[in-house]
Amino acid sequence: MKTFCGRANPTTGALDWVEESEEYDYHQEIARSCYADMLHDRDRNEKYYQGIQAAVARVKQRGEKVIVLDIGTGTGLLSMMAVTAGADFCYAVEVFKPMAEAAQCIVKKNGFSDKIKIINKHSTDVTVGPDGDMQTKANVLITELFDTELIGEGALPSYEHAHRNLVLEGCEAVPHRATVYAQLVESELLWSWAQMQPVEVEGARVVPPPAVAHCAGAHSVCDIQLSQVSPNSFNPLGPLCTMFSVDFSKPVSSALQTHSSQFASQSDGRAHVVLSWWDLDMDPSGSIVCSMAPSWTYPQPKSAPWRDHWMQSVYFLPVESTVTKGEELSLTVCHDDYSLWYSLRQQNSQNEAPPSRPCCTCQAHLVWNRPRFGELNDRRRTESYVSALRSVLKEDSVCLSVSDGSLLPVFAHILGAKKVLEANLKKGGVELLEIRPEQLTSSDVGGEQISVLMGEPYFSTSLLPWHSLFFWYCRTALAGLLRPDATMLPRSATLHMMAVEFQDLWRIRAPCGTCEGFDVTPMDEMVQRSLDFRESREAEPHPLWEYPCRALTQSSAVMTFDFTECVPKQPINSQGSLPLIRVGRCHGIALWMEYHLTDDIIVSAGLVGPISEQGECEWSRHRKQGVYFLSSPWDSSGDGRAAVSYNYTFEPTLGDIKMDFSIQS
């Protein structure tokens, strides 16, 4: 059997449905899972263990047998903790078949097969009774059903069903309670990810269309590593508010609910962003707490636990509003069974109906992701493009822009180009051609030849940095419409690399071995088999501004793509080595593109500042970089004797880059 999977095609700029073997989906889901990340989260593991031990002890003190239901067991870790703590029997439910099979191996390997039953079902399909999956209802409920938004993985419906059908009234629950916190802030940085901002070009003020400016935006949460957003980037307008709590030891409802918190504004400002996270109380007394708070809320930020499976949330209010210091405000959160949304009101409007879920009406929030909004709002980046355009445009310039939703055509028109076209209604001096670049004919451009072909380049289908080379394919397809002396903007692109030591990101790929004293190597082996299926030989996209790393080599341009020429028919190969010049543990290779707009204007989609003496890096927040994880880390002595050898091959027929790395000492 075969399966069809969506995959970005850099040669067409489209998402193609590619035929893969039937094992592909299976291995992809395992390889991209966060099981290793969760098991490396010692804070989470220790708090769960303490909570389980306390819950088992409370049931035993009542003289009852301890029957545990573990929903979303994963590796079976929490069930093994429960048995070790004295539970009489555990029913461990896991819907993902490969994980259920791994859990079965892990439970057996650790000698718990007689006390733990793995049930490969969704918990809502589990039956209770003499002939059921469970012989009797449980009196201890253990779950790990949470995501960054707390309820996004269906925690509420699962709890609702479990209390009705699978556990006894008055059961002990681990975690016992979850509490959601939120803070209203003003932040130019964060708001730039949600709405288009006006921009000044040559004295002209470019403003977003009303449909975009007045759109409530996408309702989905923006989940990020908020620890990497400096408190200097926002102005708190209110205190940290306790929005609502869910007691998991009692029946839970997944119905729509609304909660509000009242406070006086702490300062003047513009209210448009809500920062949010949650805590888990593992026991009723609240003495065992697992917190998702960002590191800057800790007295010692470096003591904050790192995790990627749970981060923090940023919510954008539907409209921006001005608040004054001392003004009485009401922050409201609504949630259904899977998601949350926020609104802000003056307290004198308490009788208003609960706010409806925000919905994008302008389409832009459906086409562009949040980093793309940030990119379009980046004034320094805009200045680079305007300067480059100013240097190449002439009064008779006929310009064609090839990018998704770019402002370059508007800038070119303001700067005085004779004609500006964009390959997609004639508006504001820019003609949008609703046609793909390779389908353009001379009549589409009014019989004139193109003198400036421009692009950022940005394409919504691009996943890895080099997928934006689709611009090169467009340039090649348009060769017959270009003047002999036509200007390409950008002129070229270079692929850059450097070897890095990650502060924490390495955990998502590192084997666990043992976790809290339990052998989980069958999971390591399962994940490695899936990585070896394909992923271990490929780079993957990550926003490195969220994941601090240190450079262990210099950064180096390793491939150049000349847009003044057509895409070559033969592969381009590049090989060489970079000495390891800093002490550290090399986890992998960071990869990014830099675009040479002119001879002296460069826009980087990776490093945006010099590397410090210690190797610290500053990354663009607008694009994801590529990360190639080494199969095993390498300890660098920093004396330059060891080097990272690389071999890249750009395949023109695929538009992709094959790569291979090794450490030579």
Side-chain angles (χ1 to χ4, degrees):
M1 290 181 63
K2 298 287 186 180
T3 185
F4 287 91
C5 301
R7 178 172 291 183
N9 185 338
T11 70
T12 64
L15 191 67
D16 291 349
W17 289 101
V18 180
E19 189 179 88
E20 297 280 4
S21 66
E22 61 179 329
E23 298 93 359
Y24 180 78
D25 259 354
Y26 167 91
H27 288 296
Q28 283 282 93
E29 188 159 358
I30 295 172
R32 295 181 180 180
S33 67
C34 287
Y35 294 118
D37 171 35
M38 288 187 284
L39 294 182
H40 280 296
D41 186 348
R42 294 195 62 185
D43 179 73
R44 161 194 175 272
N45 300 338
E46 290 170 357
K47 300 293 175 55
Y48 260 100
Y49 209 166
Q50 293 168 15
I52 289 169
Q53 290 168 330
V56 170
R58 289 194 296 274
V59 175
K60 283 186 168 294
Q61 286 171 0
R62 299 198 293 261
E64 302 173 18
K65 288 185 67 175
V66 181
I67 306 299
V68 174
L69 172 61
D70 175 9
I71 300 178
T73 193
T75 59
L77 175 67
L78 303 185
S79 289
M80 293 189 294
M81 288 178 176
V83 171
T84 303
D88 295 282
F89 199 82
C90 289
Y91 295 102
V93 181
E94 175 55 52
V95 68
F96 186 40
K97 186 176 181 181
M99 200 66 243
E101 292 171 348
Q104 193 80 58
C105 294
I106 291 169
V107 165
K108 181 178 180 181
K109 192 176 186 72
N110 287 275
F112 293 111
S113 295
D114 59 334
K115 292 211 171 180
I116 298 176
K117 179 183 179 182
I118 305 297
I119 302 171
N120 181 207
K121 288 185 176 182
H122 194 284
S123 64
T124 55
D125 296 325
V126 171
T127 56
V128 180
D131 298 320
D133 301 305
M134 299 170 61
Q135 294 294 298
T136 182
K137 290 185 176 182
N139 53 11
V140 174
L141 175 59
I142 302 173
T143 61
E144 208 283 51
L145 300 170
F146 315 112
D147 68 348
T148 292
E149 204 171 16
L150 182 68
I151 63 174
E153 291 186 0
L156 295 182
S158 297
Y159 272 112
E160 190 172 42
H161 176 271
H163 276 286
R164 287 177 179 172
N165 302 282
L166 306 177
V167 298
L168 296 169
E169 184 178 352
C171 74
E172 299 286 346
V174 183
H176 177 80
R177 177 176 46 246
T179 303
V180 173
Y181 303 93
Q183 185 171 34
L184 179 69
V185 304
E186 174 185 35
S187 174
E188 289 286 351
L189 170 65
L190 298 176
W191 188 239
S192 73
W193 298 349
Q195 297 291 358
M196 284 285 296
Q197 307 298 317
V199 59
E200 299 279 347
V201 177
E202 299 290 288
R205 185 174 170 82
V206 180
V207 297
V212 176
H214 300 146
C215 180
H219 76 269
S220 59
V221 64
C222 176
D223 53 339
I224 62 172
Q225 293 283 359
L226 203 52
S227 296
Q228 300 307 314
V229 177
S230 168
N232 296 328
S233 300
F234 57 85
N235 173 34
L237 299 178
L240 184 64
C241 301
T242 301
M243 299 307 300
F244 67 93
S245 293
V246 183
D247 186 336
F248 298 127
S249 69
K250 299 175 181 178
V252 170
S253 172
S254 61
L256 179 68
Q257 295 187 31
T258 300
H259 309 272
S260 295
S261 182
Q262 287 75 40
F263 56 90
S265 175
Q266 295 178 346
S267 63
D268 297 342
R270 291 178 299 141
H272 34 43
V273 177
V274 176
L275 311 182
S276 182
W277 56 86
W278 45 268
D279 287 351
L280 294 176
D281 288 324
M282 294 299 182
D283 66 328
S285 70
S287 60
I288 308 169
V289 182
C290 187
S291 175
M292 304 307 120
S295 62
W296 36 258
T297 65
Y298 284 69
Q300 296 180 317
K302 289 187 177 180
S303 68
W306 182 88
R307 37 189 149 240
D308 202 45
H309 51 102
W310 297 329
M311 291 185 277
Q312 294 79 38
S313 301
V314 174
Y315 296 91
F316 302 104
L317 296 176
V319 294
E320 176 185 319
S321 57
T322 301
V323 301
T324 57
K325 185 175 181 179
E327 182 179 0
E328 295 295 323
L329 302 172
S330 178
L331 184 64
T332 298
V333 62
C334 295
H335 74 80
D336 54 17
D337 47 352
Y338 281 93
S339 61
L340 286 71
W341 59 96
Y342 283 83
S343 64
L344 183 70
R345 302 172 177 173
Q346 277 89 20
Q347 281 203 27
N348 57 13
S349 58
Q350 289 299 297
N351 294 327
E352 292 182 13
S356 58
R357 185 201 304 269
C359 178
C360 174
T361 54
C362 72
Q363 307 303 310
H365 298 88
L366 304 179
V367 175
W368 297 333
N369 58 25
R370 274 144 183 155
R372 177 58 175 165
F373 274 94
E375 188 167 56
L376 291 171
N377 288 325
D378 186 330
R379 292 182 180 89
R380 288 181 60 184
R381 184 177 178 278
T382 295
E383 288 170 3
S384 294
Y385 278 97
V386 170
S387 295
L389 281 169
R390 190 185 292 115
S391 71
V392 302
L393 291 179
K394 301 174 182 176
E395 289 185 1
D396 64 345
S397 290
V398 177
C399 307
L400 176 65
S401 174
V402 180
S403 273
D404 284 352
S406 175
L407 296 178
L408 294 188
V410 178
F411 299 158
H413 172 68
I414 291 172
L415 291 169
K418 173 186 173 184
K419 178 184 280 190
V420 184
L421 306 105
E422 184 177 10
N424 284 322
L425 332 153
K426 196 162 188 178
K427 192 171 184 180
V430 177
E431 186 174 351
L432 297 174
L433 304 173
E434 297 187 80
I435 188 169
R436 290 183 58 82
E438 68 271 16
Q439 297 172 327
L440 282 176
T441 64
S442 179
S443 61
D444 293 317
V445 295
E448 298 189 78
Q449 287 190 303
I450 298 163
S451 55
V452 178
L453 180 64
M454 56 191 180
E456 300 192 33
Y458 168 82
F459 304 102
S460 57
T461 55
S462 299
L463 298 176
L464 288 160
W466 44 92
H467 288 173
S468 289
L469 289 175
F470 173 54
F471 177 81
W472 202 10
Y473 289 85
C474 294
R475 177 260 181 269
T476 303
L478 293 165
L481 300 179
L482 300 175
R483 289 182 187 175
D485 61 346
T487 296
M488 306 300 145
L489 194 158
R491 297 169 53 89
S492 63
T494 48
L495 174 67
H496 290 247
M497 69 163 277
M498 67 183 181
V500 296
E501 173 187 54
F502 285 110
Q503 182 175 300
D504 295 295
L505 188 62
W506 59 270
R507 301 174 198 273
I508 70 172
R509 288 290 172 266
C512 296
T514 60
C515 182
E516 299 304 311
F518 302 100
D519 186 341
V520 294
T521 51
M523 186 214 67
D524 292 335
E525 294 163 359
M526 176 188 73
V527 172
Q528 191 58 52
R529 283 194 299 272
S530 292
L531 286 170
D532 289 343
F533 183 76
R534 179 174 295 167
E535 295 275 321
S536 63
R537 300 184 299 279
E538 296 182 342
E540 54 192 69
H542 289 284
L544 292 185
W545 73 268
E546 293 186 58
Y547 303 105
C549 61
R550 290 176 57 246
L552 299 183
T553 65
Q554 293 181 335
S555 68
S556 177
V558 291
M559 293 193 92
T560 298
F561 310 95
D562 185 357
F563 298 155
T564 65
E565 302 290 338
C566 292
V567 176
K569 298 188 181 301
Q570 299 302 316
I572 302 173
N573 181 261
S574 174
Q575 48 191 311
S577 63
L578 290 178
L580 289 157
I581 57 173
R582 291 186 182 90
V583 176
R585 171 160 281 202
C586 181
H587 295 113
I589 312 300
L591 301 143
W592 68 96
M593 299 289 281
E594 293 188 359
Y595 299 100
H596 300 251
L597 307 187
T598 64
D599 288 339
D600 55 356
I601 301 177
I602 299 173
V603 173
S604 174
L607 282 180
V608 291
I611 300 169
S612 75
E613 283 189 26
Q614 293 74 34
E616 280 87 6
C617 310
E618 183 183 356
W619 298 96
S620 167
R621 298 174 186 263
H622 309 319
R623 302 278 181 110
K624 290 183 178 181
Q625 292 73 42
V627 176
Y628 188 105
F629 287 100
L630 299 179
S631 56
S632 57
W634 177 274
D635 290 319
S636 166
S637 61
D639 58 10
R641 294 181 183 177
V644 178
S645 294
Y646 60 84
N647 191 334
Y648 297 94
T649 301
F650 172 69
E651 297 281 359
T653 57
L654 302 175
D656 219 341
I657 298 175
K658 294 181 179 179
M659 57 192 68
D660 185 56
F661 304 94
S662 61
I663 306 289
Q664 307 294 330
S665 59

